[in-house]
Amino acid sequence: MEIKVLGSGCAKCRATVELIERVAREAGREVSVVKIEDLRRIAGYGVMSTPAVVVGEKVVHRGSVPAPAEVLGWLG
């Protein structure tokens, strides 16, 4: 499963990547987290506040670090 984290590389963006990786590991799910920092690519998703998370090419979260339960829900 591929999950994209959109953001400039700020502390909240890094925390989002780490959280997704940790929750996936604890749930026994294999994920590939792709970090996208290019502002044009981020804008292409219609995102104006980061960090944002994309699952299945759909923006599922934006503007803050998601809750662990939310991440677990994305993992199915």
Side-chain angles (χ1 to χ4, degrees), residues 7 9 11-12 14 21 23 25 34-35 39-40 43 45 50 52 55-56 61 63-64 66 68 72-73 76:
K12 288 183 181 181
R14 289 190 306 271
E21 290 173 340
V23 170
R25 186 175 51 252
V34 177
K35 295 176 269 182
L39 294 179
R40 288 186 182 177
Y45 285 96
T50 60
V55 177
H61 184 86
S64 64
L72 197 54

Side-chain angles (χ1 to χ4, degrees), residues 35-64:
K35 295 176 269 182
I36 297 178
E37 296 181 359
D38 180 72
L39 294 179
R40 288 186 182 177
R41 288 185 64 196
I42 292 170
Y45 285 96
V47 169
M48 299 308 255
S49 60
T50 60
V53 180
V54 177
V55 177
E57 289 306 308
K58 179 182 176 196
V59 177
V60 295
H61 184 86
R62 68 182 78 199
S64 64

Side-chain angles (χ1 to χ4, degrees), residues 3-4 7-8 19-20 22 28 39 47 65:
I3 298 177
K4 296 176 183 172
S8 63
L19 174 69
I20 292 169
R22 180 178 55 81
L39 294 179
V47 169
V65 177

